[in-house]
Amino acid sequence: MLRTTVLTLLCATAVAGTAHAQTQKPQTLKFWNLTTETITELKLAEPGTNKWGKNQTLNDKDKTVEADERLKLSDITPGVWDVSVKDKKKRSCVLRNVTLSGTDAYAFSISEDDMAKCKGK
């Protein structure tokens, strides 16, 4: 009797754990602005396609991403993406093959060094 009860509890726990994992929301991916400027446009595309998605800055209350601010991304999954970014200084940059991780407090960031690499392009 005890053995049957223990087995029943173990099975119930396993089933409950599986059901809980399936009902969890997908992880929210975030962009972290590590530049010194406010980002006014942030778009992503599958690598090499130039088929840019929506402007992700529209997800923010003021429709921009200030320096050191994080932004929730929508309709984006972890993986490799091309990223197009523009800031208030009218600088623009396309970063190719950016890996978006789903394991950190943010999926990816853009720094001043990244923006500097786009000068003259």
Side-chain angles (χ1 to χ4, degrees), residues 11 45 80 98:
C11 288
V80 178
V98 176

Side-chain angles (χ1 to χ4, degrees), residues 64-82:
T64 64
V65 187
E66 296 168 356
D68 199 36
E69 182 179 6
R70 289 179 176 92
L71 172 73
K72 288 183 182 179
L73 304 175
S74 62
D75 303 321
I76 300 295
T77 58
V80 178
W81 296 84
D82 288 347

Side-chain angles (χ1 to χ4, degrees), residues 5-105:
T5 303
V6 170
L7 284 173
T8 302
L9 285 173
L10 288 174
C11 288
T13 302
V15 169
T18 302
H20 175 70
Q22 291 175 347
T23 60
Q24 286 181 335
K25 292 181 182 177
Q27 183 174 4
T28 301
L29 299 178
K30 293 181 182 178
F31 159 70
W32 189 4
N33 180 8
L34 295 178
T35 72
T36 59
E37 294 298 323
T38 298
I39 302 287
T40 57
E41 185 176 288
L42 179 75
K43 295 181 178 181
L44 289 89
E46 291 184 22
T49 65
N50 289 328
K51 293 181 182 179
W52 302 106
K54 76 170 198 159
N55 180 2
Q56 294 287 328
T57 64
L58 300 177
N59 297 339
D60 193 72
K61 289 179 187 175
D62 67 0
K63 312 297 185 224
T64 64
V65 187
E66 296 168 356
D68 199 36
E69 182 179 6
R70 289 179 176 92
L71 172 73
K72 288 183 182 179
L73 304 175
S74 62
D75 303 321
I76 300 295
T77 58
V80 178
W81 296 84
D82 288 347
V83 178
S84 173
V85 62
K86 293 181 182 175
D87 66 21
K88 277 195 171 180
K89 278 187 169 178
K90 306 294 183 202
R91 297 185 299 175
S92 63
C93 184
V94 174
L95 302 167
R96 302 286 180 187
N97 299 312
V98 176
T99 299
L100 275 65
S101 164
T103 59
D104 300 321

